[in-house]
Amino acid sequence: MNKGVGTMLQQYKQILVPVDGSYEAELAFKKGVAVALRNNASLHLVHVVDTRAFQNISSFDTSMVEQVTDTAKQTLDKYVDEAKQSGLTDVDYSIEYGAPKTVIARDIPQNLNIDLIMIGATGLNAVERLLIGSVTEYVTRTAICDVLVVRTDLNNKPAVNPSKRVD
């Protein structure tokens, strides 16, 4: 498998972008599309339904899980259409259930031979990060492949969430 030194630039072939409906995740998706196009790569989108969030509800309500899943599916379908309109043909998504940290850092990268995870910078504030730890932080620390944390918009300017903007 020796390709000779310097004859081939490192190319990412399987890119994973976790999306959760946040502005930060949308930026990661948009940049993911651009990187996939440049690298002629496959783009895999994933939404992880955190099943632990439902465990403290007294009667485990399946309709709630279905509702969350339906919302995720609408978002993902929209993203797939957008990616295809940008000229990317190899794009798909999955909705997974479990702990987002390990699903994103380990399970999917192993199953799909992911070589790059592009993830939005966390939307949590400092206190929330202290208490629950950010998924992004965990993924950057433990992922089995390269991780790119997206902190800027498509013009590489610091991202300002329109809903958090203070004028």
Side-chain angles (χ1 to χ4, degrees), residues 6-35:
T7 55
M8 202 177 117
L9 290 170
Q10 158 70 46
Q11 267 197 314
Y12 293 110
K13 285 292 162 208
Q14 304 291 335
I15 301 171
L16 176 67
V17 180
V19 290
D20 58 6
S22 70
Y23 174 70
E24 290 81 5
E26 189 174 338
L27 284 179
F29 159 72
K30 288 185 153 88
K31 286 206 164 183
V33 170
V35 172

PDB file of all heavy atoms in Angstrom, residues 6-35:
ATOM      1  N   GLY A   6       4.657  11.976  -0.780  1.00  0.00           N
ATOM      2  CA  GLY A   6       4.360  13.223  -1.465  1.00  0.00           C
ATOM      3  C   GLY A   6       3.615  13.085  -2.775  1.00  0.00           C
ATOM      4  O   GLY A   6       3.317  14.078  -3.417  1.00  0.00           O
ATOM      5  N   THR A   7       3.295  11.862  -3.190  1.00  0.00           N
ATOM      6  CA  THR A   7       2.601  11.737  -4.469  1.00  0.00           C
ATOM      7  C   THR A   7       1.109  11.977  -4.326  1.00  0.00           C
ATOM      8  O   THR A   7       0.449  12.333  -5.281  1.00  0.00           O
ATOM      9  CB  THR A   7       2.800  10.333  -5.092  1.00  0.00           C
ATOM     10  OG1 THR A   7       2.396   9.359  -4.130  1.00  0.00           O
ATOM     11  CG2 THR A   7       4.230  10.112  -5.493  1.00  0.00           C
ATOM     12  N   MET A   8       0.586  11.790  -3.128  1.00  0.00           N
ATOM     13  CA  MET A   8      -0.847  11.968  -2.967  1.00  0.00           C
ATOM     14  C   MET A   8      -1.167  12.797  -1.733  1.00  0.00           C
ATOM     15  O   MET A   8      -0.643  12.543  -0.665  1.00  0.00           O
ATOM     16  CB  MET A   8      -1.521  10.602  -2.845  1.00  0.00           C
ATOM     17  CG  MET A   8      -2.981  10.639  -3.191  1.00  0.00           C
ATOM     18  SD  MET A   8      -3.655   8.967  -3.113  1.00  0.00           S
ATOM     19  CE  MET A   8      -4.832   9.208  -1.814  1.00  0.00           C
ATOM     20  N   LEU A   9      -1.993  13.780  -1.923  1.00  0.00           N
ATOM     21  CA  LEU A   9      -2.414  14.579  -0.779  1.00  0.00           C
ATOM     22  C   LEU A   9      -3.392  13.768   0.055  1.00  0.00           C
ATOM     23  O   LEU A   9      -4.170  12.982  -0.474  1.00  0.00           O
ATOM     24  CB  LEU A   9      -3.120  15.853  -1.260  1.00  0.00           C
ATOM     25  CG  LEU A   9      -2.236  16.892  -1.923  1.00  0.00           C
ATOM     26  CD1 LEU A   9      -3.086  17.971  -2.563  1.00  0.00           C
ATOM     27  CD2 LEU A   9      -1.293  17.507  -0.900  1.00  0.00           C
ATOM     28  N   GLN A  10      -3.352  13.990   1.355  1.00  0.00           N
ATOM     29  CA  GLN A  10      -4.319  13.349   2.250  1.00  0.00           C
ATOM     30  C   GLN A  10      -5.723  13.751   1.807  1.00  0.00           C
ATOM     31  O   GLN A  10      -6.020  14.926   1.665  1.00  0.00           O
ATOM     32  CB  GLN A  10      -4.078  13.819   3.686  1.00  0.00           C
ATOM     33  CG  GLN A  10      -5.272  13.663   4.617  1.00  0.00           C
ATOM     34  CD  GLN A  10      -5.605  12.228   4.959  1.00  0.00           C
ATOM     35  OE1 GLN A  10      -4.734  11.454   5.286  1.00  0.00           O
ATOM     36  NE2 GLN A  10      -6.878  11.875   4.873  1.00  0.00           N
ATOM     37  N   GLN A  11      -6.537  12.768   1.550  1.00  0.00           N
ATOM     38  CA  GLN A  11      -7.927  13.069   1.198  1.00  0.00           C
ATOM     39  C   GLN A  11      -8.860  12.366   2.163  1.00  0.00           C
ATOM     40  O   GLN A  11      -8.644  11.210   2.499  1.00  0.00           O
ATOM     41  CB  GLN A  11      -8.229  12.588  -0.221  1.00  0.00           C
ATOM     42  CG  GLN A  11      -8.022  13.657  -1.262  1.00  0.00           C
ATOM     43  CD  GLN A  11      -8.721  13.266  -2.557  1.00  0.00           C
ATOM     44  OE1 GLN A  11      -8.624  12.141  -3.016  1.00  0.00           O
ATOM     45  NE2 GLN A  11      -9.441  14.201  -3.128  1.00  0.00           N
ATOM     46  N   TYR A  12      -9.854  13.083   2.597  1.00  0.00           N
ATOM     47  CA  TYR A  12     -10.870  12.467   3.436  1.00  0.00           C
ATOM     48  C   TYR A  12     -11.904  11.843   2.522  1.00  0.00           C
ATOM     49  O   TYR A  12     -12.304  12.438   1.535  1.00  0.00           O
ATOM     50  CB  TYR A  12     -11.496  13.513   4.356  1.00  0.00           C
ATOM     51  CG  TYR A  12     -10.533  14.031   5.384  1.00  0.00           C
ATOM     52  CD1 TYR A  12     -10.037  15.330   5.316  1.00  0.00           C
ATOM     53  CD2 TYR A  12     -10.096  13.215   6.420  1.00  0.00           C
ATOM     54  CE1 TYR A  12      -9.127  15.800   6.266  1.00  0.00           C
ATOM     55  CE2 TYR A  12      -9.185  13.674   7.376  1.00  0.00           C
ATOM     56  CZ  TYR A  12      -8.713  14.964   7.286  1.00  0.00           C
ATOM     57  OH  TYR A  12      -7.826  15.422   8.220  1.00  0.00           O
ATOM     58  N   LYS A  13     -12.325  10.629   2.862  1.00  0.00           N
ATOM     59  CA  LYS A  13     -13.268   9.904   2.009  1.00  0.00           C
ATOM     60  C   LYS A  13     -14.642   9.743   2.652  1.00  0.00           C
ATOM     61  O   LYS A  13     -15.649   9.673   1.969  1.00  0.00           O
ATOM     62  CB  LYS A  13     -12.697   8.527   1.655  1.00  0.00           C
ATOM     63  CG  LYS A  13     -11.590   8.601   0.619  1.00  0.00           C
ATOM     64  CD  LYS A  13     -12.157   9.023  -0.722  1.00  0.00           C
ATOM     65  CE  LYS A  13     -11.126   9.527  -1.682  1.00  0.00           C
ATOM     66  NZ  LYS A  13     -11.692  10.499  -2.625  1.00  0.00           N
ATOM     67  N   GLN A  14     -14.670   9.632   3.971  1.00  0.00           N
ATOM     68  CA  GLN A  14     -15.933   9.411   4.682  1.00  0.00           C
ATOM     69  C   GLN A  14     -16.054  10.455   5.781  1.00  0.00           C
ATOM     70  O   GLN A  14     -15.364  10.386   6.784  1.00  0.00           O
ATOM     71  CB  GLN A  14     -15.956   8.007   5.311  1.00  0.00           C
ATOM     72  CG  GLN A  14     -15.718   6.863   4.334  1.00  0.00           C
ATOM     73  CD  GLN A  14     -16.874   6.675   3.366  1.00  0.00           C
ATOM     74  OE1 GLN A  14     -18.016   7.035   3.653  1.00  0.00           O
ATOM     75  NE2 GLN A  14     -16.582   6.098   2.216  1.00  0.00           N
ATOM     76  N   ILE A  15     -16.936  11.426   5.559  1.00  0.00           N
ATOM     77  CA  ILE A  15     -17.072  12.537   6.499  1.00  0.00           C
ATOM     78  C   ILE A  15     -18.374  12.412   7.286  1.00  0.00           C
ATOM     79  O   ILE A  15     -19.437  12.189   6.698  1.00  0.00           O
ATOM     80  CB  ILE A  15     -17.025  13.890   5.746  1.00  0.00           C
ATOM     81  CG1 ILE A  15     -15.693  14.007   4.988  1.00  0.00           C
ATOM     82  CG2 ILE A  15     -17.206  15.063   6.720  1.00  0.00           C
ATOM     83  CD1 ILE A  15     -15.642  15.194   4.035  1.00  0.00           C
ATOM     84  N   LEU A  16     -18.261  12.567   8.596  1.00  0.00           N
ATOM     85  CA  LEU A  16     -19.431  12.487   9.463  1.00  0.00           C
ATOM     86  C   LEU A  16     -19.736  13.863  10.046  1.00  0.00           C
ATOM     87  O   LEU A  16     -18.853  14.523  10.579  1.00  0.00           O
ATOM     88  CB  LEU A  16     -19.161  11.507  10.616  1.00  0.00           C
ATOM     89  CG  LEU A  16     -20.266  11.390  11.678  1.00  0.00           C
ATOM     90  CD1 LEU A  16     -21.523  10.761  11.100  1.00  0.00           C
ATOM     91  CD2 LEU A  16     -19.773  10.582  12.876  1.00  0.00           C
ATOM     92  N   VAL A  17     -20.992  14.297   9.919  1.00  0.00           N
ATOM     93  CA  VAL A  17     -21.419  15.543  10.552  1.00  0.00           C
ATOM     94  C   VAL A  17     -22.625  15.256  11.448  1.00  0.00           C
ATOM     95  O   VAL A  17     -23.698  14.910  10.950  1.00  0.00           O
ATOM     96  CB  VAL A  17     -21.798  16.640   9.523  1.00  0.00           C
ATOM     97  CG1 VAL A  17     -22.247  17.915  10.247  1.00  0.00           C
ATOM     98  CG2 VAL A  17     -20.633  16.945   8.599  1.00  0.00           C
ATOM     99  N   PRO A  18     -22.440  15.362  12.772  1.00  0.00           N
ATOM    100  CA  PRO A  18     -23.579  15.205  13.670  1.00  0.00           C
ATOM    101  C   PRO A  18     -24.430  16.472  13.624  1.00  0.00           C
ATOM    102  O   PRO A  18     -23.889  17.576  13.692  1.00  0.00           O
ATOM    103  CB  PRO A  18     -22.939  15.060  15.063  1.00  0.00           C
ATOM    104  CG  PRO A  18     -21.464  14.964  14.830  1.00  0.00           C
ATOM    105  CD  PRO A  18     -21.187  15.563  13.495  1.00  0.00           C
ATOM    106  N   VAL A  19     -25.740  16.311  13.472  1.00  0.00           N
ATOM    107  CA  VAL A  19     -26.618  17.481  13.476  1.00  0.00           C
ATOM    108  C   VAL A  19     -27.680  17.337  14.563  1.00  0.00           C
ATOM    109  O   VAL A  19     -28.213  16.267  14.778  1.00  0.00           O
ATOM    110  CB  VAL A  19     -27.291  17.737  12.096  1.00  0.00           C
ATOM    111  CG1 VAL A  19     -26.270  18.209  11.083  1.00  0.00           C
ATOM    112  CG2 VAL A  19     -27.971  16.499  11.579  1.00  0.00           C
ATOM    113  N   ASP A  20     -27.946  18.457  15.250  1.00  0.00           N
ATOM    114  CA  ASP A  20     -28.905  18.406  16.355  1.00  0.00           C
ATOM    115  C   ASP A  20     -29.919  19.536  16.264  1.00  0.00           C
ATOM    116  O   ASP A  20     -30.608  19.839  17.221  1.00  0.00           O
ATOM    117  CB  ASP A  20     -28.160  18.487  17.694  1.00  0.00           C
ATOM    118  CG  ASP A  20     -27.317  19.750  17.813  1.00  0.00           C
ATOM    119  OD1 ASP A  20     -27.398  20.616  16.912  1.00  0.00           O
ATOM    120  OD2 ASP A  20     -26.578  19.865  18.811  1.00  0.00           O
ATOM    121  N   GLY A  21     -29.987  20.181  15.104  1.00  0.00           N
ATOM    122  CA  GLY A  21     -30.947  21.262  14.948  1.00  0.00           C
ATOM    123  C   GLY A  21     -30.397  22.608  15.382  1.00  0.00           C
ATOM    124  O   GLY A  21     -31.062  23.631  15.214  1.00  0.00           O
ATOM    125  N   SER A  22     -29.176  22.646  15.927  1.00  0.00           N
ATOM    126  CA  SER A  22     -28.610  23.912  16.389  1.00  0.00           C
ATOM    127  C   SER A  22     -27.966  24.677  15.241  1.00  0.00           C
ATOM    128  O   SER A  22     -27.637  24.110  14.199  1.00  0.00           O
ATOM    129  CB  SER A  22     -27.566  23.664  17.483  1.00  0.00           C
ATOM    130  OG  SER A  22     -26.413  23.056  16.923  1.00  0.00           O
ATOM    131  N   TYR A  23     -27.767  25.966  15.474  1.00  0.00           N
ATOM    132  CA  TYR A  23     -27.104  26.823  14.491  1.00  0.00           C
ATOM    133  C   TYR A  23     -25.670  26.336  14.256  1.00  0.00           C
ATOM    134  O   TYR A  23     -25.188  26.288  13.133  1.00  0.00           O
ATOM    135  CB  TYR A  23     -27.112  28.261  15.018  1.00  0.00           C
ATOM    136  CG  TYR A  23     -26.329  29.234  14.163  1.00  0.00           C
ATOM    137  CD1 TYR A  23     -26.788  29.616  12.903  1.00  0.00           C
ATOM    138  CD2 TYR A  23     -25.125  29.774  14.624  1.00  0.00           C
ATOM    139  CE1 TYR A  23     -26.081  30.502  12.121  1.00  0.00           C
ATOM    140  CE2 TYR A  23     -24.411  30.672  13.844  1.00  0.00           C
ATOM    141  CZ  TYR A  23     -24.885  31.033  12.591  1.00  0.00           C
ATOM    142  OH  TYR A  23     -24.182  31.902  11.820  1.00  0.00           O
ATOM    143  N   GLU A  24     -24.986  25.948  15.344  1.00  0.00           N
ATOM    144  CA  GLU A  24     -23.612  25.467  15.251  1.00  0.00           C
ATOM    145  C   GLU A  24     -23.518  24.225  14.377  1.00  0.00           C
ATOM    146  O   GLU A  24     -22.586  24.069  13.579  1.00  0.00           O
ATOM    147  CB  GLU A  24     -23.059  25.153  16.647  1.00  0.00           C
ATOM    148  CG  GLU A  24     -22.816  26.380  17.515  1.00  0.00           C
ATOM    149  CD  GLU A  24     -24.075  26.940  18.200  1.00  0.00           C
ATOM    150  OE1 GLU A  24     -25.167  26.340  18.095  1.00  0.00           O
ATOM    151  OE2 GLU A  24     -23.951  28.005  18.829  1.00  0.00           O
ATOM    152  N   ALA A  25     -24.485  23.328  14.524  1.00  0.00           N
ATOM    153  CA  ALA A  25     -24.494  22.102  13.729  1.00  0.00           C
ATOM    154  C   ALA A  25     -24.772  22.412  12.256  1.00  0.00           C
ATOM    155  O   ALA A  25     -24.238  21.766  11.363  1.00  0.00           O
ATOM    156  CB  ALA A  25     -25.550  21.133  14.265  1.00  0.00           C
ATOM    157  N   GLU A  26     -25.587  23.426  12.013  1.00  0.00           N
ATOM    158  CA  GLU A  26     -25.892  23.815  10.633  1.00  0.00           C
ATOM    159  C   GLU A  26     -24.637  24.337   9.931  1.00  0.00           C
ATOM    160  O   GLU A  26     -24.388  24.032   8.770  1.00  0.00           O
ATOM    161  CB  GLU A  26     -26.996  24.869  10.613  1.00  0.00           C
ATOM    162  CG  GLU A  26     -27.504  25.137   9.212  1.00  0.00           C
ATOM    163  CD  GLU A  26     -28.697  26.081   9.177  1.00  0.00           C
ATOM    164  OE1 GLU A  26     -29.395  26.217  10.200  1.00  0.00           O
ATOM    165  OE2 GLU A  26     -28.920  26.675   8.105  1.00  0.00           O
ATOM    166  N   LEU A  27     -23.824  25.110  10.662  1.00  0.00           N
ATOM    167  CA  LEU A  27     -22.556  25.584  10.104  1.00  0.00           C
ATOM    168  C   LEU A  27     -21.646  24.402   9.770  1.00  0.00           C
ATOM    169  O   LEU A  27     -21.011  24.372   8.719  1.00  0.00           O
ATOM    170  CB  LEU A  27     -21.832  26.491  11.098  1.00  0.00           C
ATOM    171  CG  LEU A  27     -22.349  27.915  11.270  1.00  0.00           C
ATOM    172  CD1 LEU A  27     -21.508  28.634  12.319  1.00  0.00           C
ATOM    173  CD2 LEU A  27     -22.325  28.677   9.956  1.00  0.00           C
ATOM    174  N   ALA A  28     -21.588  23.430  10.682  1.00  0.00           N
ATOM    175  CA  ALA A  28     -20.753  22.246  10.460  1.00  0.00           C
ATOM    176  C   ALA A  28     -21.235  21.499   9.220  1.00  0.00           C
ATOM    177  O   ALA A  28     -20.432  21.035   8.407  1.00  0.00           O
ATOM    178  CB  ALA A  28     -20.780  21.335  11.688  1.00  0.00           C
ATOM    179  N   PHE A  29     -22.564  21.419   9.057  1.00  0.00           N
ATOM    180  CA  PHE A  29     -23.132  20.766   7.879  1.00  0.00           C
ATOM    181  C   PHE A  29     -22.714  21.487   6.598  1.00  0.00           C
ATOM    182  O   PHE A  29     -22.252  20.877   5.639  1.00  0.00           O
ATOM    183  CB  PHE A  29     -24.659  20.705   7.978  1.00  0.00           C
ATOM    184  CG  PHE A  29     -25.334  20.522   6.657  1.00  0.00           C
ATOM    185  CD1 PHE A  29     -25.276  19.292   5.994  1.00  0.00           C
ATOM    186  CD2 PHE A  29     -26.001  21.566   6.037  1.00  0.00           C
ATOM    187  CE1 PHE A  29     -25.874  19.123   4.749  1.00  0.00           C
ATOM    188  CE2 PHE A  29     -26.600  21.409   4.805  1.00  0.00           C
ATOM    189  CZ  PHE A  29     -26.540  20.184   4.161  1.00  0.00           C
ATOM    190  N   LYS A  30     -22.867  22.814   6.587  1.00  0.00           N
ATOM    191  CA  LYS A  30     -22.536  23.591   5.381  1.00  0.00           C
ATOM    192  C   LYS A  30     -21.060  23.439   5.011  1.00  0.00           C
ATOM    193  O   LYS A  30     -20.708  23.260   3.849  1.00  0.00           O
ATOM    194  CB  LYS A  30     -22.893  25.060   5.589  1.00  0.00           C
ATOM    195  CG  LYS A  30     -24.405  25.304   5.573  1.00  0.00           C
ATOM    196  CD  LYS A  30     -24.730  26.791   5.655  1.00  0.00           C
ATOM    197  CE  LYS A  30     -26.065  27.105   5.006  1.00  0.00           C
ATOM    198  NZ  LYS A  30     -27.201  26.997   5.887  1.00  0.00           N
ATOM    199  N   LYS A  31     -20.193  23.495   6.021  1.00  0.00           N
ATOM    200  CA  LYS A  31     -18.766  23.305   5.757  1.00  0.00           C
ATOM    201  C   LYS A  31     -18.482  21.855   5.356  1.00  0.00           C
ATOM    202  O   LYS A  31     -17.610  21.605   4.527  1.00  0.00           O
ATOM    203  CB  LYS A  31     -17.940  23.695   6.979  1.00  0.00           C
ATOM    204  CG  LYS A  31     -17.879  25.195   7.161  1.00  0.00           C
ATOM    205  CD  LYS A  31     -16.635  25.609   7.919  1.00  0.00           C
ATOM    206  CE  LYS A  31     -16.417  27.102   7.739  1.00  0.00           C
ATOM    207  NZ  LYS A  31     -15.196  27.576   8.380  1.00  0.00           N
ATOM    208  N   GLY A  32     -19.218  20.936   5.939  1.00  0.00           N
ATOM    209  CA  GLY A  32     -19.063  19.519   5.597  1.00  0.00           C
ATOM    210  C   GLY A  32     -19.344  19.265   4.128  1.00  0.00           C
ATOM    211  O   GLY A  32     -18.625  18.514   3.461  1.00  0.00           O
ATOM    212  N   VAL A  33     -20.388  19.913   3.623  1.00  0.00           N
ATOM    213  CA  VAL A  33     -20.729  19.783   2.197  1.00  0.00           C
ATOM    214  C   VAL A  33     -19.569  20.280   1.334  1.00  0.00           C
ATOM    215  O   VAL A  33     -19.147  19.620   0.387  1.00  0.00           O
ATOM    216  CB  VAL A  33     -22.026  20.566   1.859  1.00  0.00           C
ATOM    217  CG1 VAL A  33     -22.243  20.645   0.350  1.00  0.00           C
ATOM    218  CG2 VAL A  33     -23.238  19.904   2.523  1.00  0.00           C
ATOM    219  N   ALA A  34     -19.022  21.445   1.699  1.00  0.00           N
ATOM    220  CA  ALA A  34     -17.915  22.030   0.936  1.00  0.00           C
ATOM    221  C   ALA A  34     -16.689  21.120   0.935  1.00  0.00           C
ATOM    222  O   ALA A  34     -16.063  20.895  -0.100  1.00  0.00           O
ATOM    223  CB  ALA A  34     -17.567  23.408   1.493  1.00  0.00           C
ATOM    224  N   VAL A  35     -16.357  20.569   2.107  1.00  0.00           N
ATOM    225  CA  VAL A  35     -15.194  19.683   2.220  1.00  0.00           C
ATOM    226  C   VAL A  35     -15.427  18.384   1.453  1.00  0.00           C
ATOM    227  O   VAL A  35     -14.533  17.881   0.764  1.00  0.00           O
ATOM    228  CB  VAL A  35     -14.851  19.404   3.707  1.00  0.00           C
ATOM    229  CG1 VAL A  35     -13.761  18.339   3.833  1.00  0.00           C
ATOM    230  CG2 VAL A  35     -14.404  20.692   4.391  1.00  0.00           C
TER     231      VAL A  35
END
